[in-house]
């Protein structure tokens, strides 16, 4: 009996399990739609840090509800959520895509894929959608009006795309919308008044677009608004005071617009919950700093780039302020009220007119971590007090002198130190070993520092090292080989004497290498090393004493210079590196002129400069692999042989300098196809033959072809041999034609004269007879 009971129990358990399993199997039509959708795209690794091909788990013999990124309704088996964020999908989203057969979708997340194309009207057929997330997708064209059909939509994210035009009026029907993310979407027009009808909106992001005009005065009708971001547009006029009266608002970003006039907040509610206020980079005139005391909970305040005046009294207290940006505010004295800001963690007072010394009380603020006093007139010796929590100190572009204070070495958590463009002297202290476990950005360029680069300043986490423009000597520290995060290395304009650091090619994140104007020597190729810089975008070793030849395959493996690629380091997006990037600076020779490349300019430049060395032999044909190169400078060396025709593959090239070598043969006619090539120099070589006839070549200055005795043709005054013979023949032909014309005219005149004479005599005879 017991056996029967156990058997029945087991039967019912198995039956129930089977029913449950059967219940969760997705429907065949849903599986087919997903499979077809997968096949509409091709998958490749777009970003170096991503390895998230979710669709690899999609196999026909498995339950599609168990596939990565797929969520089904427990009862019906319909697919209700599709999340393929960052799955390396490539290809357009077609209007007849099988995606639109998933009629029960409530959440669609396809962000960070290369779905380049127009967002089809068919998107409006997914009538149950609540969450539509398509940022970073390379979408373009107009936002379809069919989005207005998605009446259940609560979150719409289309940021970081390339849309055009304005928002469709139909979006005014999205009454359930609570979050709207349209930052960096290339939209234009005036502020979308249709948004004022969407009373449920809690989050509006229109930042970094091309909107203009004034804000509507009745913007306070968005009574549930919590985050409002319209930064980096062209809005103008004054800010409606009603905006500050929305009780739920806790983040307000109005920076980088054209707002002007005195800043007024009106009758701010005592219950204001504003935590962040960014009105930087506008044209406000702020007379009374105490107006910010109305915001009792304010933690982040950005007033940069405005006209600011405030009392020097030290009693002004913003009790909760954590981040304060007063850069470019025409301040001439160090703000004394900061002494009482005990919650302050980050302070930026850069680009002002402050003189003298840093007050000692600044270092005593108990929570201070980030200090930026760059671009002022601070002078004398830099005095600091030990502060164990300071992690960022930027004091570049001032007038500090003397040695770098040893107190810096007592900042145990120091991660960023920027002292560039001052008058510091002496050696770089070895005491940096006290902080070398944490420092990732060290910039000491354009001072008068001498001695060697000590090994003690190098640590495994170093990401950016700039000691250019000093008097440093010795060799490059070999410990740099351990810096696997190193992206930026600049030692230009020093007295470093060393062989080429082949070992740097083992650094996986190195993007910028500048060794120019030192005393480096020897070959830049060695059979024992694989010189492959996969993500290097700037390679400048000019004005040294490098020698030897380049093998034919020298440029194999320079991936970023060879093909379009977006490089994100350590899993971070480019904007997360802006603070780092804006501290970087190098001088490059572009189009024959030395220019400083600062900040985000690194994103577009791809530069290869070996000029001013002793390199010889042929220029390798493999240079044609560097298709993304913008600047190529191999001048002032001893290269021989012909100019490789493969240069015509460098379709993005804007500046080419091959002058002062021993190159022979002709200028390849294929270079005429380089439509972006604005500047070129072939002077002081042994080139010969006609200069190719192409607009960008013919438009060059005559000096670009000077001292090549065998060259001929425009823009040189010297005509080519064939041209001279042709011109002489043409001249002879013209002379002969002129003689023939003269003979013809004489014959014609003679022919006309004889009949005329005969007729005249005949008439005369008749009249006289």
């Amino acid at each position: 009996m017991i056996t029967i009971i156990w058997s029945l129990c087991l039967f019912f358990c198995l039956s129930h399990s089977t029913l449950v399993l059967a219940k969760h199997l997705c429907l065949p039509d849903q599986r087919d739609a997903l499979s077809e959708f997968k096949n509409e795209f091709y998958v490749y690794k777009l970003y170096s840090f991503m390895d998230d091909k979710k669709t690899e788990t999609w196999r026909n013999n498995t339950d599609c509800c168990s596939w990565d990124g797929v969520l089904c309704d427990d009862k019906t088996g319909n697919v209700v959520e599709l999340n393929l964020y960052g799955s390396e999908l490539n290809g357009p989203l077609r209007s007849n895509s099988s995606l639109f057969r998933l009629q029960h979708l409530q959440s669609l997340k396809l962000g960070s894929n290369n779905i380049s194309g127009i967002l089809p009207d068919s998107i409006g057929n997914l009538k149950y959608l609540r969450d539509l997330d398509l940022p970073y997708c390379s979408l373009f064209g107009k936002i379809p009006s069919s989005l207005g059909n998605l009446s259940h939509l609560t979150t719409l994210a289309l940021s970081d795309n390339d849309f055009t035009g304005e928002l469709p009026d139909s979006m005014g029907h999205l009454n359930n919308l609570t979050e709207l993310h349209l930052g960096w979407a290339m939209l234009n027009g005036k502020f979308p008044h249709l948004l004022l009808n969407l009373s449920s909106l809690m989050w509006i992001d229109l930042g970094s677009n091309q909107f203009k005009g004034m804000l509507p005065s009745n913007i306070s009708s968005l009574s549930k608004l919590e985050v409002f971001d319209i930064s980096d547009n062209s809005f103008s006029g004054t800010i409606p005071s009603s905006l500050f009266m929305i009780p739920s608002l806790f983040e307000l970003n109005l920076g980088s617009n054209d707002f002007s006039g005195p800043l007024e907040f009106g009758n701010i509610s005592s219950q204001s919950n504003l935590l962040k206020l960014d009105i930087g980079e506008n044209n406000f005139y702020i007379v009374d700093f105490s107006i910010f005391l109305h915001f009792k909970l304010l933690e982040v305040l950005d007033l940069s780039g405005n006209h600011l005046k405030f009392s020097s009294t030290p009693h002004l207290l913003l009790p909760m302020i954590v981040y304060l940006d007063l850069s470019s505010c025409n301040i001439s004295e160090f703000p004394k009220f900061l002494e009482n800001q005990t919650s302050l963690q980050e302070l930026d007072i850069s680009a002002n007119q402050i003189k003298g010394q840093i007050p000692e009380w600044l270092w005593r603020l108990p929570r201070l971590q980030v200090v930026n006093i760059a671009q002022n007139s601070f002078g004398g010796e830099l005095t600091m007090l030990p502060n164990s929590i300071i992690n960022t100190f930027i004091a570049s572009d001032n007038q500090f002198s003397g040695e770098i204070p040893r107190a810096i070495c007592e900042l145990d958590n120091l991660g960023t130190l920027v002292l560039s463009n001052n008058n510091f002297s002496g050696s770089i202290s070895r005491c940096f070993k006290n902080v070398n476990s944490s420092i990732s950005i060290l910039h000491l360029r354009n001072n008068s520092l001498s001695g060697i680069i000590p090994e003690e300043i190098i640590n495994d986490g170093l990401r950016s090292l700039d000691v250019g423009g000093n008097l440093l000597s010795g060799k490059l520290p070999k410990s740099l080989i351990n810096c696997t995060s190193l992206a930026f290395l600049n030692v230009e304009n020093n007295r470093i004497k060393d062989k080429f650091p082949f070992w740097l090619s083992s650094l996986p994140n190195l993007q910028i290498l500048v060794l120019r104007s030192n005393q480096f020597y020897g070959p830049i190729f060695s059979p024992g090393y694989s010189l492959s810089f996969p993500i290097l975008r700037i390679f400048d070793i000019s004005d040294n004493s490098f020698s030897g030849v380049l093998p034919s395959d020298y440029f194999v493996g320079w991936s970023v210079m060879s093909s379009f690629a977006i490089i994100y380091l350590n899993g971070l997006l480019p904007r997360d590196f802006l603070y780092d990037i804006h501290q970087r600076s190098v001088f490059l020779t572009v189009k024959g002129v030395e220019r400083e490349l600062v900040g985000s300019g690194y994103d577009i430049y791809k530069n290869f400069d070996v000029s001013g060395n002793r390199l010889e032999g042929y220029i390798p044909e493999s240079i044609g692999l560097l298709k993304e190169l913008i600047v190529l400078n191999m001048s002032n060396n001893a290269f021989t042989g012909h100019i490789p025709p493969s240069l015509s593959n460098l379709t993005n090239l804007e500046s080419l300098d091959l002058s002062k070598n021993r190159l022979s043969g002709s200028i390849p006619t294929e270079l005429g196809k380089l439509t972006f090539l604005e500047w070129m120099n072939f002077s002081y070589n042994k080139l010969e033959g006609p200069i190719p006839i192409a607009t960008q070549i013919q438009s060059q200055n005559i000096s670009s072809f000077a001292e090549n005795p065998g060259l001929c043709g425009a823009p040189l005054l010297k005509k080519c041999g064939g041209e001279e013979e042709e011109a002489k023949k043409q001249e002879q032909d013209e002379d002969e034609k002129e003689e023939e014309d003269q003979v013809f005219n004489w014959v014609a005149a003679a022919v006309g004269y004889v009949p005329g004479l005969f007729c005249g005599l005949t008439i005369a005879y008749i009249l006289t007879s």
Side-chain angles (χ1 to χ4, degrees):
M1 186 67 179
I2 295 177
T3 304
I4 296 174
I5 293 174
W6 276 109
S7 299
L8 289 172
C9 288
L10 180 60
F11 172 76
F12 283 117
C13 287
L14 290 174
S15 299
H16 179 69
S17 299
T18 303
L19 288 172
V20 170
L21 286 174
K23 181 179 176 181
H24 286 281
L25 285 173
C26 78
L27 303 176
D29 65 312
Q30 304 282 282
R31 182 182 62 246
D32 293 344
L34 286 171
S35 297
E36 291 176 27
F37 178 69
K38 170 187 174 180
N39 294 329
E40 292 173 11
F41 301 91
Y42 61 97
V43 176
Y44 74 88
K45 195 176 184 63
L46 180 64
Y47 303 138
S48 62
F49 69 90
M50 286 185 174
D51 190 16
D52 192 17
K53 301 185 181 76
K54 293 180 180 178
T55 54
E56 287 186 348
T57 66
W58 293 16
R59 295 181 175 85
N60 289 331
N61 57 350
T62 59
D63 178 11
C64 73
C65 293
S66 67
W67 292 352
D68 285 354
V70 177
L71 181 66
C72 297
D73 183 275
D74 289 340
K75 296 179 180 179
T76 64
N78 289 313
V79 176
V80 294
E81 180 175 323
L82 182 60
N83 183 354
L84 296 179
Y85 190 94
S87 295
E88 304 162 25
L89 303 180
N90 297 271
L93 182 60
R94 300 194 297 264
S95 59
N96 61 347
S97 171
S98 58
L99 172 71
F100 303 120
R101 302 210 309 263
L102 302 174
Q103 285 290 308
H104 296 274
L105 269 182
Q106 298 177 22
S107 178
L108 177 61
K109 298 181 179 181
L110 301 178
S112 289
N113 287 290
N114 187 28
I115 309 177
S116 178
I118 296 173
L119 183 60
D121 286 330
S122 314
I123 195 73
N125 297 334
L126 300 176
K127 58 184 180 181
Y128 294 109
L129 269 185
R130 299 175 184 271
D131 185 0
L132 179 58
D133 192 342
L134 301 173
Y136 297 99
C137 282
S138 302
L139 294 168
F140 55 81
K142 291 191 174 184
I143 294 178
S145 59
S146 62
L147 285 181
N149 300 335
L150 305 179
S151 58
H152 296 283
L153 207 62
T154 59
T155 301
L156 176 60
L158 299 176
S159 53
D160 291 87
N161 283 292
D162 297 314
F163 293 113
T164 56
E166 305 180 20
L167 297 183
D169 292 337
S170 61
M171 286 181 59
H173 302 150
L174 302 179
N175 296 320
N176 290 308
L177 199 64
T178 59
E179 294 189 23
L180 177 63
H181 302 274
L182 295 173
W184 300 79
M186 302 297 289
L187 297 168
N188 56 40
K190 295 183 179 180
F191 182 86
H193 281 69
L194 62 92
L195 299 182
L196 301 178
N197 299 326
L198 308 182
S199 57
S200 297
L201 273 175
M202 301 168 63
W203 192 312
I204 296 178
D205 179 8
L206 303 177
S208 300
N209 281 287
Q210 301 167 19
F211 291 110
K212 60 183 179 180
M214 300 179 67
L215 293 181
S217 58
N218 59 336
I219 199 167
S220 59
S221 62
L222 298 171
S223 58
K224 297 181 181 179
L225 204 58
E226 297 179 357
V227 176
F228 186 59
D229 187 348
I230 58 169
S231 60
D232 196 17
N233 279 285
S234 298
F235 289 112
S236 57
T238 58
I239 300 174
S241 58
S242 61
L243 179 61
F244 300 98
M245 299 178 189
I246 301 175
S248 57
L249 194 65
F250 68 81
E251 182 174 330
L252 181 56
N253 298 321
L254 308 175
S256 299
N257 278 288
D258 295 322
F259 293 116
S260 59
L263 186 64
E264 297 177 350
F265 296 135
N267 297 321
I268 300 173
S269 169
S270 59
Q271 298 180 2
S272 172
N273 291 307
L274 200 64
L275 300 177
K276 178 181 179 181
L277 175 59
D278 178 359
I279 57 173
E281 304 302 326
N282 281 288
N283 297 300
F284 291 116
Y285 193 81
I286 306 169
V287 178
D288 187 2
F289 198 84
S290 63
I291 59 175
F292 300 104
L293 295 177
H294 295 293
F295 303 110
K296 303 294 184 182
L297 302 178
L298 194 63
E299 296 181 353
V300 176
L301 178 59
D302 187 342
L303 304 178
S304 61
N306 290 290
H307 304 282
L308 177 63
K309 287 188 177 182
F310 53 83
S311 171
S312 60
T313 174
H315 303 300
L316 183 63
L317 181 61
L318 302 171
M320 303 294 292
I321 202 74
V322 173
Y323 172 91
L324 180 61
D325 190 343
L326 303 176
S327 62
S328 302
C329 286
N330 296 314
I331 301 172
S332 57
E333 295 183 7
F334 207 102
K336 294 181 181 179
F337 78 90
L338 295 176
E339 185 175 0
N340 292 324
Q341 310 307 315
T342 55
S343 298
L344 191 62
Q345 296 180 19
E346 298 187 34
L347 172 64
D348 188 345
I349 56 171
S350 61
N352 282 293
Q353 303 158 21
I354 307 174
K355 300 179 180 179
Q357 289 283 315
I358 304 171
E360 287 189 359
W361 52 258
L362 180 69
W363 308 112
R364 296 193 184 100
L365 294 179
R367 299 183 181 180
L368 192 63
Q369 299 177 32
V370 177
V371 178
N372 187 351
I373 61 170
Q375 299 177 18
N376 277 285
S377 298
F378 291 103
E381 292 190 358
L382 175 59
T383 56
M384 300 183 67
L385 297 178
N387 185 321
S388 60
I389 64 171
I390 290 285
N391 60 51
T392 299
F393 181 50
I394 302 174
S396 55
D397 297 280
N398 279 285
Q399 300 170 20
F400 290 114
S401 58
E403 295 189 352
I404 297 175
R406 293 180 63 87
I408 287 181
C409 297
E410 298 181 36
L411 305 178
D412 297 335
N413 293 305
L414 189 63
T416 297
L417 177 63
V418 181
L419 301 178
S420 302
N421 302 318
N422 280 285
N423 299 310
F424 289 111
S425 58
S427 59
I428 302 175
S429 176
R430 296 179 182 273
C431 73
F432 274 96
K433 65 182 179 181
N434 296 336
V435 295
N436 73 351
S437 60
S438 59
I439 196 163
S440 61
I441 301 172
L442 179 59
H443 290 187
L444 306 174
R445 69 176 289 107
N446 290 346
N447 284 284
S448 297
L449 300 171
S450 57
I452 65 170
I453 303 175
E455 297 277 353
E456 285 80 0
I457 70 171
I458 310 300
N459 73 87
D460 294 354
L462 192 65
R463 196 166 69 227
S464 185
L465 176 63
D466 188 350
V467 293
N470 283 286
L471 305 171
L472 299 170
S473 56
K475 299 183 177 182
L476 279 183
K478 283 287 184 66
S479 54
L480 285 169
I481 197 172
N482 299 318
C483 302
T484 55
S485 297
L486 190 67
F488 180 93
L489 177 60
N490 184 7
V491 298
E492 64 183 351
N493 290 310
N494 279 288
R495 301 171 181 174
I496 299 172
K497 190 172 184 179
D498 200 353
K499 294 181 179 180
F500 184 83
F502 296 103
W503 37 273
L504 288 178
S505 63
S506 65
L507 300 182
N509 289 315
L510 190 62
Q511 291 192 60
I512 297 163
L513 175 61
V514 181
L515 308 179
R516 66 180 286 177
S517 300
N518 277 282
Q519 299 173 23
F520 286 97
Y521 63 92
I524 60 174
F525 165 75
S526 174
Y529 290 89
S530 173
L531 192 63
S532 173
F533 291 100
I535 68 171
L536 200 69
R537 59 175 62 247
I538 293 179
F539 180 76
D540 190 345
I541 61 171
S542 59
D543 296 318
N544 281 286
S545 297
F546 290 116
S547 59
V549 299
L550 304 181
S552 59
D553 61 347
Y554 187 80
F555 297 102
V556 175
W558 299 53
S559 302
V560 163
M561 291 191 186
S562 299
S563 60
F564 176 76
I566 301 173
I567 302 299
Y568 299 155
L569 301 181
N570 302 328
L572 297 179
L573 297 177
R575 284 186 227 164
D576 299 313
F577 274 92
L578 286 181
Y579 200 67
D580 176 1
I581 290 174
H582 283 170
Q583 308 304 324
R584 300 178 181 175
S585 171
V586 294
F587 284 87
L588 301 177
T589 302
V590 181
K591 300 177 184 177
V593 178
E594 188 173 82
R595 65 173 64 173
E596 185 177 16
L597 192 62
V598 180
S600 58
Y602 295 106
D603 293 342
I604 60 173
Y605 262 91
K606 294 182 181 179
N607 178 86
F608 183 87
D609 192 341
V610 295
S611 61
N613 284 286
R614 302 172 185 173
L615 299 173
E616 56 188 3
Y618 293 171
I619 297 176
E621 282 284 345
S622 61
I623 198 169
L625 295 173
L626 308 186
K627 296 179 181 179
E628 295 295 315
L629 206 59
I630 291 178
V631 178
L632 175 60
N633 191 347
M634 306 182 82
S635 65
N636 200 12
N637 279 284
F639 287 114
T640 56
H642 292 192
I643 297 174
S646 62
L647 283 177
S648 63
N649 294 332
L650 310 187
T651 51
N652 288 307
L653 200 62
E654 297 179 7
S655 176
L656 171 64
D657 194 345
L658 300 177
S659 63
K660 297 180 181 178
N661 280 289
R662 301 172 186 172
L663 297 170
S664 58
S666 60
I667 298 175
T669 56
E670 294 89 342
L671 296 184
K673 297 186 296 184
L674 301 179
T675 54
F676 290 114
L677 190 56
E678 298 178 4
W679 188 91
M680 60 194 81
N681 192 349
F682 302 102
S683 63
Y684 293 90
N685 277 288
K686 299 179 180 180
L687 299 172
E688 58 187 9
I691 295 173
I693 299 176
T695 302
Q696 61 271 38
I697 298 179
Q698 302 287 306
S699 63
Q700 298 299 306
N701 191 289
I702 193 172
S703 61
S704 296
F705 307 95
E707 300 302 322
N708 284 283
L711 274 184
C712 59
L716 293 177
L717 299 178
K718 179 183 178 182
K719 294 184 177 180
C720 297
E723 290 180 344
E724 291 178 352
E725 293 177 4
E726 182 66 27
K728 188 174 181 180
K729 183 177 184 303
Q730 185 176 355
E731 186 176 349
Q732 290 175 348
D733 291 344
E734 289 177 354
D735 291 342
E736 291 176 1
K737 187 175 185 300
E738 186 176 353
E739 291 177 1
E740 290 176 356
D741 289 344
Q742 290 176 352
V743 170
F744 174 80
N745 292 336
W746 182 84
V747 170
V751 170
Y753 174 77
V754 172
L757 179 61
F758 176 78
C759 290
L761 290 174
T762 303
I763 293 172
Y765 173 79
I766 293 172
L767 291 175
T768 56
S769 59

